[in-house]
Amino acid sequence: MTERLRTFGRTKSRTLSDRQQALVDELLPKIGIPASGVVNPAILLPGKTKHILEIGFGGGEHLSGQAARHPDTGYIGVEPFINGVAKALTQIEESGLENVRLHEGDAREVMERMPDQCLDRIFLLFPDPWPKVRHAKRRFVQDETAAEFARLLKPGGHLRVATDVKAYADHALWILRQTPGLEWQARSAADWRQPPADHLTTRYETKQLGDCAPVFFDFENGNSPRIRL
């Protein structure tokens, strides 16, 4: 079997602190998703009014911040960078969050195990940009992953993709706009140039490491039921 191309770079940097390692060893197994089998958000996080997936949550600031704002919503975060997972675990413990589940690894593997129309929202915020043309095939947004977004979202569900790299923005917007079931919600330039009202700015975003101002592409699953008058 051909090995799947990685969409992310390094998976670890500095050595984890004793506290972080303890959280990875003790807390992560308690709030992690199953290593195999179906990943059903409604079963992992029962009793929640909505279920949200964040792909590549980095240091976990956006994930934990949204989870703290919306305790009635269940959040699943997937991140391959163990240092980011450790940071997220620290925030989860400090805030006493009980509505978050984490997975250290490739989000594509998790998505493939999820049932149809199981998510109310998906966040893909500032993914590894792979800005060079020869690396474009490693970007997370591809025809296959875009189709998975459409499959996983409930009717009327929403996807947000944000980036501060122009090449990635052009690449992602083209693919997403061609994906059946996904409808771009922008009506004017301000809709994608200005941070949405519910956006939480992270430290990574404030570093301005990209080559353009952040852009925010919001899409809706266009299979939402229509009211007949």
Side-chain angles (χ1 to χ4, degrees):
M1 181 180 294
T2 303
E3 184 178 356
R4 171 180 270 172
L5 283 173
R6 279 174 43 158
T7 62
F8 46 88
R10 59 181 182 173
T11 57
K12 185 176 182 179
S13 58
R14 63 177 64 88
T15 302
L16 301 182
S17 67
D18 291 343
R19 181 190 178 194
Q20 289 177 327
Q21 188 62 58
L23 289 171
V24 169
D25 293 339
E26 300 169 13
L27 180 56
L28 183 58
K30 296 178 181 178
I31 66 171
I33 69 170
S36 61
V38 175
V39 178
N40 190 329
I43 294 176
L44 280 176
L45 293 150
K48 300 302 179 184
T49 59
K50 295 181 179 180
H51 296 90
I52 294 176
L53 171 67
E54 181 163 342
I55 299 167
F57 56 76
E61 294 169 87
H62 181 271
L63 178 67
S64 60
Q66 293 286 1
R69 281 186 176 185
H70 307 285
D72 59 337
T73 297
Y75 290 82
I76 296 176
V78 185
E79 169 61 51
F81 189 48
I82 186 60
N83 299 76
V85 172
K87 290 179 180 178
L89 289 168
T90 301
Q91 295 158 23
I92 290 169
E93 182 189 53
E94 290 178 348
S95 300
L97 300 176
E98 298 181 351
N99 58 331
V100 183
R101 299 293 180 266
L102 299 184
H103 178 71
E104 177 201 350
D106 190 332
R108 294 171 297 181
E109 297 172 359
V110 175
M111 292 165 63
E112 290 169 357
R113 294 161 54 199
M114 288 182 163
D116 295 352
Q117 298 185 358
C118 65
L119 296 170
D120 295 274
R121 198 167 194 183
I122 299 172
F123 287 111
L124 176 64
L125 307 179
F126 304 97
D128 285 347
W130 299 103
K132 296 181 180 179
V133 173
R134 69 174 184 271
H135 294 150
K137 59 188 176 182
R138 293 185 178 273
R139 297 169 187 162
F140 193 88
V141 176
Q142 303 291 342
D143 291 338
E144 297 79 9
T145 48
E148 281 288 87
F149 294 153
R151 180 183 71 83
L152 294 174
L153 286 171
K154 297 177 182 178
H158 289 85
L159 163 71
R160 176 172 297 160
V161 176
T163 183
D164 56 359
V165 176
K166 187 178 185 300
Y168 202 108
D170 293 341
H171 169 95
L173 189 58
W174 171 260
I175 290 176
L176 294 172
R177 294 190 70 184
Q178 306 304 313
T179 302
L182 296 181
E183 297 182 357
W184 193 22
Q185 298 300 289
R187 297 294 178 266
S188 68
D191 291 335
W192 52 271
R193 288 177 175 171
Q194 299 296 324
D198 62 348
H199 177 63
L200 294 176
T201 303
T202 65
R203 282 175 289 180
Y204 169 83
E205 189 178 340
T206 61
K207 292 179 181 179
Q208 300 180 341
L209 299 177
D211 59 4
C212 69
V215 294
F216 302 85
F217 301 141
D218 279 2
F219 284 80
E220 181 178 297
N221 183 327
N223 296 317
S224 55
R226 298 182 182 276
I227 299 175
R228 294 186 178 181
L229 301 179

